[in-house]
């Protein structure tokens, strides 16, 4: 599996997060018309290569957007994502390294953006 698939599976398996967002966890874009709290993430990979160009490590930075109707609800989703990341396998080295608030006035949603690092 890919880091993205492992990350999504980790989030979907975390009951407190599932209670807040249900199936609304997606990579790159959420389905148009989705309502309620949701999580959207994108990934950026930085490979460490050996002299023979073999991949020694893949450090993936996941930009995670947690959206909801209010700032407090978005913060609760972000807290649940953070707790889910803490349940990731130790070998992944998964950790939340950043957190910021945001707002989308066009959609009328508040958000919290998390930065997650995940190693493979």
């Amino acid at each position: 599996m890919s880091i993205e698939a492992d990350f999504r599976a980790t989030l979907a398996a975390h009951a407190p997060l599932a209670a807040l967002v249900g199936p609304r966890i997606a990579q790159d874009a959420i389905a148009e018309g989705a309502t309620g709290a949701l999580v959207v993430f994108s990934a950026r990979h930085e490979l460490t290569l050996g002299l023979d160009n073999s991949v020694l490590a893949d450090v993936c930075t996941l930009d995670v957007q947690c959206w909801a109707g209010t700032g407090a609800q978005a913060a609760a989703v972000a807290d649940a994502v953070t707790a889910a990341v803490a349940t990731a396998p130790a070998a992944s080295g998964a950790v939340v390294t950043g957190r910021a608030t945001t707002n989308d006035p066009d959609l009328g949603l508040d958000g919290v953006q998390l930065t997650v690092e995940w190693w493979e």
Side-chain angles (χ1 to χ4, degrees):
M1 286 181 40
S2 68
I3 290 174
E4 293 88 342
D6 290 343
F7 177 70
R8 189 189 183 293
T10 298
L11 297 186
H14 191 66
L17 179 59
L20 294 171
V21 301
R24 294 177 303 278
I25 301 170
Q27 183 177 351
D28 298 327
I30 199 80
E32 189 172 335
T35 59
L38 56 96
V39 176
V40 180
F41 67 94
S42 61
R44 182 178 63 253
H45 293 265
E46 293 183 35
L47 303 177
T48 300
L49 302 175
L51 293 175
D52 62 353
N53 287 330
S54 60
V55 176
L56 302 176
D58 180 359
V59 180
C60 184
T61 301
L62 299 149
D63 296 314
V64 184
Q65 298 176 9
C66 305
W67 294 99
T70 69
Q73 291 168 335
V77 172
D79 291 343
V81 168
T82 299
V85 168
T87 70
S92 73
V95 64
V96 175
T97 61
R99 183 177 177 130
T101 59
T102 189
N103 176 272
D104 187 326
D106 293 333
L107 296 175
L109 296 175
D110 287 319
V112 174
Q113 295 179 317
L114 300 174
T115 303
V116 177
E117 285 193 10
W118 189 294
W119 288 68
E120 183 174 277

